Amino acid sequence: MFKSKRSGLVRRLWRSRLVTESDGRDGCRGGEGGRNGPHAGLEDELASIAHAFLKRLKERSLDALANAVETKEGIPSECVMVPRTELQLGAHHISPQFLLCKLYRWSDLPLSAHLKALCHCQSFDALDSAKVCSNPYHYSRICGPESPPPPYSLSHSEEHKPLGENYSYKNLAHIQKQTFIFPPLFFLSDTGTSLGSSTSDGHRSHWCSVAYWEQRTRVGRLYPAHEPSLSIFYDLPQGTGLCLSQLHTNRNSHSSSVQQIRRKIGFGIVLSREPDGVWVYNRSQHPVFVHSPTLDPPTARGLSVKRVMPGFSLKVFDFERSSWMAGHGMKPESQEGPWDPHSVRISFAKGWGPCYSRQFITSCPCWLEVLLNNHR
């Protein structure tokens, strides 16, 4: 019997879903050894909703979704736009993007999870749009308290509560020993222009430069970033950006640890300059570790190195936080000697600092130095 391409795409996508413990080996639900109880029932309902959702998608959307899922976004895929609606899952309501992220990326995704649309997605900062992208590889999870909590909270109970409209930043002067929440704002340099803006001759300047290091040796030249986002990778099937594998290195000097970590970089990371700061999205299969001046609480006694797991994003540089620190002449107590208030350091797979065996980033096999362009 003749079968359409559309039904074939639905079958391909259904076979590509993450298999949970309540799946049988053949993909059937409730097989021998499957889980019983409410959780298994919820998983069955989720599968039923997901299958029905896929069958409603148009052929072009199915094709884009299959491309994203089967290549794990190694090959850029289109947005999969669907009406902004909520789907009923038991006593809960879930969004289409949550459904597909749980189906294809994170089977352990909790209902309370906040998903962040990546900067190249049509749903990025489009909260009022009638349609929403449901491509699971156009989203990331946001690092939570485990890695550790984001800075700038006035108290644990108010960690995610925005400040009122009448709150003045001047009021923060007497509580410098705490951490703070700031509303989004473009960072203004001393010249009154935003980070990475156009120069006087009309050409757009780079908003950051990236240096790649292997332990104490810098490899290649500084790489300037002109576009709002920059992919940094070692091996990517299709894409543009800073390809670390193409940088000229002295292979005879490679230690086994450097070679091992180079192979783990894979799809690498995406750096993006957004209205509230600079974000890092980890698209590799291994964690990355990050430190920047705005991630350190003002009175931190030790270096705050944050771990960003695969599929997660972290705001690694807060523009307003940096501006406030500069205005108050603040410098983290953990910093000694020369200190660059506009640099971010990122290591691949291996961390450093007080919680790790490597005390300095120069002991990490492969790492990046991101120099933000504050019209240096």
Side-chain angles (χ1 to χ4, degrees), residues 16 21 43 46-47 96 108 124 147 164 179 184 199 265 270 277 282 286 292 304 306 339-340 349:
S16 299
E21 293 177 22
E43 290 285 344
L46 182 74
D108 63 342
F124 177 71
S147 72
T179 51
T199 57
I265 295 173
V270 176
N282 183 4
H286 300 275
S292 87
S304 298
K306 318 297 186 188
W339 178 61
D340 188 342

Side-chain angles (χ1 to χ4, degrees), residues 289-339:
F289 299 84
V290 181
H291 172 262
S292 87
T294 67
L295 289 176
D296 270 336
T299 57
R301 296 293 181 181
L303 204 66
S304 298
V305 177
K306 318 297 186 188
R307 179 177 61 175
V308 183
M309 297 300 291
F312 280 71
S313 287
L314 176 69
K315 183 165 65 173
V316 296
F317 194 88
D318 188 291
F319 295 157
E320 177 65 13
R321 166 72 166 161
S322 175
S323 181
W324 187 87
M325 289 177 66
H328 288 77
M330 295 185 61
K331 171 181 175 181
E333 292 184 10
S334 61
Q335 297 286 345
E336 296 181 0
W339 178 61

Side-chain angles (χ1 to χ4, degrees), residues 187-200 205 373-376:
F187 175 51
L188 298 181
S189 70
D190 294 337
T191 59
T193 55
S194 61
L195 195 69
S197 62
S198 297
T199 57
S200 58
S205 64
N373 181 16
N374 188 36
H375 300 279
R376 296 167 177 269

Side-chain angles (χ1 to χ4, degrees), residues 235-293:
D235 183 22
L236 189 65
Q238 191 178 110
T240 59
L242 174 54
C243 180
L244 301 179
S245 64
Q246 293 183 354
L247 296 181
H248 175 72
T249 62
N250 182 3
R251 297 188 180 275
N252 294 329
S253 66
H254 279 179
S255 66
S256 59
S257 62
V258 169
Q259 293 180 11
Q260 182 183 28
I261 298 305
R262 281 166 65 94
R263 290 192 291 268
K264 290 184 176 181
I265 295 173
F267 291 1
I269 63 171
V270 176
L271 280 174
S272 61
R273 186 199 66 206
E274 301 179 15
D276 61 343
V278 176
W279 287 76
V280 164
Y281 166 52
N282 183 4
R283 64 190 304 200
S284 75
Q285 298 300 308
H286 300 275
V288 298
F289 299 84
V290 181
H291 172 262
S292 87

